Amino acid sequence: MSSKKHKQAVRGEKKQSRTRMWRDRLLPVLKLRWLQTSLVMLVLALVLYQAYARITQSDMFIIETVQIEGEFKYLSKQHLQETAIPYVTGSFFSVKLDAIRDQLLHLPWVEDVSIRRQWPNALTIRVMEKQPVAYWNEKQLISARSEVFEPAQIDRQMRLPKLKGPQGQHANMLKELSRMQAWLADAELQVEKIDQDQRRSWTLYMSSGLELRLGRHDRQQRLQRFVEVFTGKLMKQQQNIKYVDMRYTNGLAVAWKKVTEGLGA
């Protein structure tokens, strides 16, 4: 048994010796090949970089055409081009699209901008125009995304509701306008203006000339109570009403433009 174990040990040592021999022979070869491959890759990268630098810095692909796309009511393509062109510098590859986009976004009527390159020397700029949904504090507008913006000139003839309130209240007032208009549908009244004063007291002005004072609290309940009373007793007399004051716990007050007969309190 001891002789058999001895033979096995000798064979194991020979096998390990051959493994070390092949490893010692192959390792330098593998290292050399890895080094050669790395050098080739490095040279290739340098060549590609130099080629890219020459292409991007050459005059072959300078941007020559800027095309503006979009549907505009308040913006003009000429104005958009005049704003963008000073920032269209460099070649097809190096032109800084973010710089162009940022400048266009500074225009009050611009909602969003997307820019794409058109091979070999053109840019296509698509501009989304803001859609005004309400006037805000006389000098500003509110967009469909509930953002306040201030154009150089505001068209006062747009059929938009007028909102007036403390700074930062525009989004809440726009949301409430939509809800209130839905509640007033049964009364056939259209909100023309909402005024929220510094004490957060709300007053609604209808297109018919009716003024509705809701106050600070329980606006929904007060508005619903107004609709019930208005559709039941006041609708036929609305041309004679100066304002309706809902700032009472269980009632309301009506101020008349002139004395009206035949109306019970």
Side-chain angles (χ1 to χ4, degrees), residues 177-193 204-212 223 226-231 234-239 241 244:
L177 169 64
S178 178
R179 295 173 59 185
M180 290 176 174
Q181 192 58 66
W183 295 333
L184 290 166
D186 291 340
E188 299 179 5
L189 292 172
Q190 181 75 30
V191 178
E192 185 175 87
K193 178 182 177 182
L204 278 59
Y205 300 87
M206 310 300 170
S207 58
S208 64
L210 175 67
E211 178 182 331
L212 178 60
L223 190 59
F226 163 77
V227 172
E228 292 174 1
V229 175
F230 184 82
T231 54
L234 301 178
M235 183 177 289
K236 294 181 180 180
Q237 300 290 334
Q238 62 177 300
Q239 296 301 323
I241 299 174
V244 178

Side-chain angles (χ1 to χ4, degrees), residues 51-69:
Y52 173 78
R54 288 181 181 179
I55 291 174
T56 56
Q57 295 174 10
S58 70
D59 295 336
M60 294 175 59
F61 302 103
I62 294 297
I63 299 297
E64 297 179 356
T65 304
V66 176
Q67 182 177 353
I68 305 294
E69 294 182 348

Side-chain angles (χ1 to χ4, degrees), residues 2-46:
S2 59
S3 176
K4 185 176 180 180
K5 290 182 179 179
H6 177 70
K7 291 180 179 180
Q8 290 177 345
V10 171
R11 285 198 295 270
E13 289 179 0
K14 289 181 178 180
K15 185 177 181 180
Q16 292 178 359
S17 176
R18 287 195 297 270
T19 301
R20 286 194 297 269
M21 179 184 67
W22 282 108
R23 185 184 61 190
D24 293 342
R25 290 180 179 180
L26 289 175
L27 190 59
V29 175
L30 292 175
K31 288 182 177 180
L32 179 60
R33 289 184 178 179
W34 179 85
L35 181 60
Q36 291 173 338
T37 302
S38 299
L39 289 173
V40 170
M41 294 298 293
L42 179 60
V43 171
L44 181 59
L46 289 173

